[in-house]
Amino acid sequence: MAIRPIVTAPDPRLREISKPVDRVDDELRALMDDMLETMYDAPGIGLAAIQVGVPVRVIVMDLAGEDEEPLPRFFVNPEILDPSEDMSIYEEGCLSVPDFFDEVERPAQCRIKFLDYDGKEQILDAKGMLATCIQHEMDHLEGVLFIDHLSRLKRERVLKKLKKEQRLAAAE
Ligand code: NI
């Protein structure tokens, strides 16, 4: 396993549409292992493959609390089914948009169809944080960031700040 560098906004790779995975093999599992280690190291609760620069439809996640056992989850080729009409609002953040958090409204519940770590098809009913987190990560597969759900003013402000920080870091 290895920690991979995380791609941060406004890197254009984050706008790519990720491709479906043909099959879940050892090579893909190695990517998922690296993604999980990278996410834990950051630390974060969810990561899409494009965030380490690989444009495939793979997501890793762990929503276990600090004093709980780790509960890694792997989603390959995930699809969202039956999003609820009732919505919920959570404060979101993203490893690709460092040090910025804001509230986003999304369907409160949904069903997710996906392949697991072993390539087996699974269906999961999600609500609460899990529903929000999977929808946030699914957005990454379509080249969408959570800041795209905010006003243009807020989005431009955070992107400008990130660009400036990256310029400063590069000049060091
Ligand atoms: Ni994110």
Side-chain angles (χ1 to χ4, degrees):
M1 289 212 279
I3 293 168
R4 303 198 188 190
I6 294 176
V7 177
T8 55
D11 191 308
R13 285 176 289 177
L14 293 169
R15 295 308 187 183
E16 279 181 46
I17 296 180
S18 294
K19 292 189 183 61
V21 169
D22 290 333
R23 67 197 176 103
V24 180
D25 55 13
D26 286 346
E27 196 186 334
L28 192 80
R29 276 185 283 272
L31 170 68
M32 292 195 277
D33 292 343
D34 282 2
M35 286 170 62
L36 195 71
E37 195 180 358
T38 303
M39 181 189 83
Y40 284 143
D41 176 70
I45 58 173
L47 191 74
I50 192 61
Q51 293 182 273
V52 292
V54 185
V56 297
R57 302 183 84 82
V58 173
I59 289 165
V60 299
M61 201 181 290
D62 190 336
L63 301 179
E66 264 179 51
D67 9 310
E68 290 172 330
E69 286 291 303
L71 182 62
R73 299 174 187 269
F74 303 91
F75 301 91
V76 177
N77 295 343
E79 287 172 56
I80 289 196
L81 313 170
D82 313 323
S84 63
E85 277 175 30
D86 53 314
M87 307 290 276
S88 59
I89 296 177
Y90 276 94
E91 184 172 76
E92 297 188 20
C94 179
L95 294 175
S96 293
V97 187
D99 305 319
F100 180 78
F101 303 87
D102 210 333
E103 290 181 334
V104 177
E105 187 180 46
R106 300 182 188 271
Q109 294 170 44
C110 62
R111 178 166 287 181
I112 312 150
K113 187 177 151 197
F114 61 101
L115 302 177
D116 66 14
Y117 192 80
D118 300 310
K120 261 179 42 191
E121 191 175 293
Q122 303 278 356
I123 291 195
L124 179 66
D125 286 312
K127 57 181 182 178
M129 272 282 281
L130 178 60
T132 288
C133 195
I134 190 73
Q135 291 174 73
H136 172 121
E137 300 308 329
M138 293 283 302
D139 272 356
H140 278 297
L141 307 186
E142 306 301 332
V144 173
L145 298 171
F146 84 100
I147 53 173
D148 298 337
H149 295 282
L150 307 176
S151 70
R152 198 168 88 179
L153 183 72
K154 280 188 182 174
R155 181 168 56 254
E156 283 175 357
R157 196 186 296 152
V158 63
L159 287 173
K160 202 171 144 192
K161 184 173 148 272
L162 288 172
K163 261 191 228 169
K164 190 176 160 194
E165 283 170 3
Q166 285 166 16
R167 255 202 326 271
L168 289 172
E172 263 171 19

